[in-house]
Amino acid sequence: MAKITHYGQWLDISSLNPVDKKNYLTSVTLFLFGAVAWGIHLSSVGIFYDTPDIENAKSSFYTVVRVVVIISWIVSSLYYMKFLKTQDELIIRWNEFIGSWGAIGFLSFGMLMSLLSPYLEFKPGFYELFLAFAIGCSIGGLRFHNKYLAE
């Protein structure tokens, strides 16, 4: 079974058996491939309130890029689910724990950003809210480590 490392933030890939390692690494690789395609997509629609070139955004190149994002992330999710099916209860609990804390981070930090935005002349968007989710996941990983792994 997988070993949780870095204070609950990561899995030790070398601790996986060959089938689990293949499924996990395939999932991560496809996710990163989709993330690169997502970055290319963002260049067409604008990021952080840039003004996008609408005509260029509708080109066939960007359409293919968007299809690549969707397909790679769906296949990545399927491989991750295959990986999770073979794991013990601790890894499944860790996965659910960090996901739940990510949602808590999204709600609490996201709500705080939203409430403060009129005073700071700041409009939180997708990336700020995703950052709130990532902070929540990190807090969840640390809490999981302290609750289940720390000795």
Side-chain angles (χ1 to χ4, degrees):
M1 292 299 119
K3 179 181 175 188
I4 301 168
T5 62
H6 296 87
Y7 297 100
Q9 305 298 309
W10 191 252
L11 295 177
D12 184 3
I13 296 170
S14 64
S15 69
L16 300 174
N17 67 41
V19 173
D20 290 343
K21 186 183 289 188
K22 176 189 154 284
N23 288 336
Y24 185 74
L25 290 177
T26 301
S27 173
V28 171
T29 302
L30 286 170
F31 180 80
L32 290 176
F33 184 70
V36 169
W38 179 260
I40 295 169
H41 154 73
L42 290 177
S43 70
S44 72
V45 296
I47 183 172
F48 297 119
Y49 315 109
D50 289 343
T51 305
D53 178 12
I54 300 300
E55 290 304 314
N56 189 28
K58 295 178 184 177
S59 72
S60 60
F61 171 74
Y62 288 113
T63 301
V64 170
V65 166
R66 292 177 186 113
V67 170
V68 166
V69 171
I70 293 167
I71 291 172
S72 64
W73 283 355
I74 287 172
V75 176
S76 172
S77 298
L78 293 173
Y79 273 98
Y80 191 73
M81 290 186 324
K82 283 174 66 173
F83 164 74
L84 275 182
K85 284 182 183 179
T86 62
Q87 297 306 302
D88 63 356
E89 187 177 329
L90 185 69
I91 297 299
I92 293 170
R93 183 177 289 172
W94 170 75
N95 185 65
E96 292 171 351
F97 208 88
I98 60 173
S100 298
W101 273 92
I104 291 169
F106 174 82
L107 291 172
S108 59
F109 294 123
M111 188 183 330
L112 183 62
M113 280 190 280
S114 177
L115 292 172
L116 294 176
S117 66
Y119 304 106
L120 302 175
E121 297 180 14
F122 171 74
K123 182 180 174 190
F126 173 81
Y127 301 99
E128 292 83 9
L129 297 175
F130 180 77
L131 180 62
F133 175 81
I135 291 169
C137 286
S138 291
I139 291 170
L142 289 171
R143 288 184 48 92
F144 186 87
H145 172 78
N146 291 337
K147 185 172 183 176
Y148 296 106
L149 304 175
E151 297 175 18

